[in-house]
Amino acid sequence: MRSFPLPPLNSLIAFESAARNLSFTQASIELNVTQGAVSKQIKLLEEYLGKKLLHRSTKKMELTLAGLEYYDTVRKSLFILAEGTDKIRGVHGSQELTVAATTAMTSLWLMPKVSTFQALNEDIELRIVASDNLSETAQYDIVLNYLRFPPRGCRATALFDEEIFPVCSPEYLRKNPNLTTPESLSDCTWLYLEDMQKDWLGWLEWFDGLGIPAPVPKRKLKINSYSMLLQSCLDGQGVALGWSYLVDDYLRSGMLIKPMEPMLKTGSKFWLIESDSYTRNQKGVDNFRNWLIDKIPHI
């Protein structure tokens, strides 16, 4: 019997990771190999197929038309292979639940609460994935993310609305007692989030949403991680934009304060998104969704 023409399997894994992340760097971290190894595997795959899959430039990476088509095939095939492997092994596979969220949501909102879920669901093995690239929902059972609109074809449950307001430390406010209005932010250091997700707002968008001309800040401190940005805010290094629910624990403890009343309510929401592919643990998905919805009024 003639065997099926299969490409190099290691190359498929490298391609799936690089295409999903649109980054050799992220793929190398995810696969625990060097960037050169990822590049070599994808080049090997392109030579095997006789097609260019990824277009690489100094600033960004994009999938070619052939790459887009092939990525969908590879993603689905690897998912089916992983699912079948779990079933054969029979080790925790049917009870594992994978929940993905952005790094900020994971560290600031989700992780402090998951112990209560685990206490109520001892038979479910929870797997938490923190990533700022959550465009591909099929590989996770549940995705938690701020979005204007949830992806099509998925079951999406709105958890709460997006509310954004300035926050600072009590020490910073003592040093800047005139910080009482949006206009007074011109005398402050703005903690500025770089590499924002497309649906996250920055300072200019916040002022625009309130219908107020944005002043020029005294200075900016740019940070590419929201968790690190909040730590800088806690250390009294400037004023940050705070998202409700993400910073509520800090506000309740008094470690951060709202120096002014204006708050922007956007059309975005915090969504619980369930995979549009078959999940190995529907009971776990249902339990997690119901538990989280029940937690919202008490947070």
Side-chain angles (χ1 to χ4, degrees), residues 7 11 21 30 59 61-62 66 85 95 101 115 125 133 156 164-165 167 186 196 247 254 260 262-263 266 281 296:
S11 295
N21 291 292
E30 188 172 276
K59 292 185 177 181
M61 177 184 295
E62 294 178 338
T85 302
Q95 290 300 310
S115 60
E125 185 174 305
N133 184 5
I164 310 172
F165 42 83
V167 293
S186 61
M196 291 187 300
V247 300
M260 61 188 69
M263 175 176 62
T266 73
N281 189 359
I296 296 297

Side-chain angles (χ1 to χ4, degrees), residues 2-149:
R2 184 180 178 183
S3 62
F4 294 107
L6 292 175
L9 297 184
N10 284 339
S11 295
L12 294 181
I13 295 171
F15 169 66
E16 189 280 332
S17 181
R20 171 166 39 83
N21 291 292
L22 291 179
S23 167
F24 280 176
T25 301
Q26 288 299 116
S28 67
I29 294 172
E30 188 172 276
L31 301 175
N32 196 27
V33 297
T34 65
Q35 292 186 47
V38 174
S39 178
K40 182 178 179 180
Q41 287 294 332
I42 291 176
K43 183 178 180 182
L44 182 66
L45 182 60
E46 290 176 332
E47 290 175 351
Y48 180 88
L49 297 172
K51 298 282 187 179
K52 196 76 172 175
L53 300 175
L54 291 164
H55 175 70
R56 299 174 286 276
S57 66
T58 56
K59 292 185 177 181
K60 63 179 179 179
M61 177 184 295
E62 294 178 338
L63 286 163
T64 64
L65 290 177
L68 282 168
E69 181 180 357
Y70 198 52
Y71 171 63
D72 187 57
T73 299
V74 170
R75 176 185 65 81
K76 291 178 180 177
S77 299
L78 290 177
F79 181 85
I80 292 171
L81 181 61
E83 180 183 60
T85 302
D86 267 356
K87 287 181 179 178
I88 294 298
R89 290 177 66 206
V91 181
H92 300 302
S94 63
Q95 290 300 310
E96 184 177 83
L97 180 69
T98 301
V99 179
T102 64
T103 54
M105 292 176 189
T106 302
S107 61
L108 299 172
W109 192 79
L110 180 60
M111 289 309 298
K113 300 169 179 61
V114 295
S115 60
T116 59
F117 175 80
Q118 291 178 304
L120 294 170
N121 299 272
E122 295 181 353
D123 59 330
I124 296 176
E125 185 174 305
L126 195 60
R127 175 173 174 254
I128 304 295
V129 176
S131 173
D132 289 327
N133 184 5
L134 296 174
S135 58
E136 188 57 66
T137 62
Q139 60 186 311
Y140 312 115
D141 294 309
I142 290 174
V143 171
L144 304 174
N145 202 3
Y146 270 119
L147 295 167
R148 296 193 186 283
F149 304 101

Side-chain angles (χ1 to χ4, degrees), residues 2-3 22 102 119 122 147 157 176 181 187 201 212 217 219 222 236 272 277 297-298:
R2 184 180 178 183
S3 62
L22 291 179
T102 64
E122 295 181 353
L147 295 167
T157 303
N176 299 270
T181 65
D187 297 325
L201 272 70
I212 301 173
R219 65 178 64 87
K222 298 181 179 181
L272 184 151
S277 300
H298 308 292

Side-chain angles (χ1 to χ4, degrees), residues 117-279:
F117 175 80
Q118 291 178 304
L120 294 170
N121 299 272
E122 295 181 353
D123 59 330
I124 296 176
E125 185 174 305
L126 195 60
R127 175 173 174 254
I128 304 295
V129 176
S131 173
D132 289 327
N133 184 5
L134 296 174
S135 58
E136 188 57 66
T137 62
Q139 60 186 311
Y140 312 115
D141 294 309
I142 290 174
V143 171
L144 304 174
N145 202 3
Y146 270 119
L147 295 167
R148 296 193 186 283
F149 304 101
R152 294 181 178 179
C154 298
R155 175 174 179 175
T157 303
L159 298 178
F160 45 78
D161 295 328
E162 182 180 50
E163 300 173 344
I164 310 172
F165 42 83
V167 293
C168 67
S169 69
E171 177 189 1
Y172 192 83
L173 185 59
R174 283 194 293 269
K175 294 179 179 179
N176 299 270
N178 295 326
L179 181 56
T180 57
T181 65
E183 292 77 10
S184 64
L185 285 162
S186 61
D187 297 325
C188 299
T189 297
W190 292 3
L191 301 177
Y192 205 89
L193 183 63
E194 286 191 318
D195 301 330
M196 291 187 300
Q197 295 175 257
K198 65 178 182 179
D199 289 320
W200 281 52
L201 272 70
W203 280 106
L204 297 182
E205 293 83 4
W206 184 78
F207 277 102
D208 185 61
L210 292 176
I212 301 173
V216 177
K218 186 176 182 180
R219 65 178 64 87
K220 292 180 183 178
L221 176 56
K222 298 181 179 181
I223 305 173
N224 69 345
S225 163
Y226 188 68
S227 298
M228 291 173 59
L229 183 145
L230 276 189
Q231 185 59 55
S232 178
C233 190
L234 289 165
D235 292 339
Q237 297 177 11
V239 184
L241 284 175
W243 271 255
S244 57
Y245 289 90
L246 292 190
V247 300
D248 281 358
D249 286 344
Y250 290 117
L251 294 174
R252 277 192 290 266
S253 69
M255 297 173 68
L256 290 178
I257 57 178
K258 295 167 64 175
M260 61 188 69
E261 289 300 321
M263 175 176 62
L264 177 64
K265 293 186 178 182
T266 73
S268 296
K269 296 180 183 296
F270 190 27
W271 296 90
L272 184 151
I273 302 165
E274 299 173 35
S275 173
D276 56 350
S277 300
Y278 171 76
T279 177

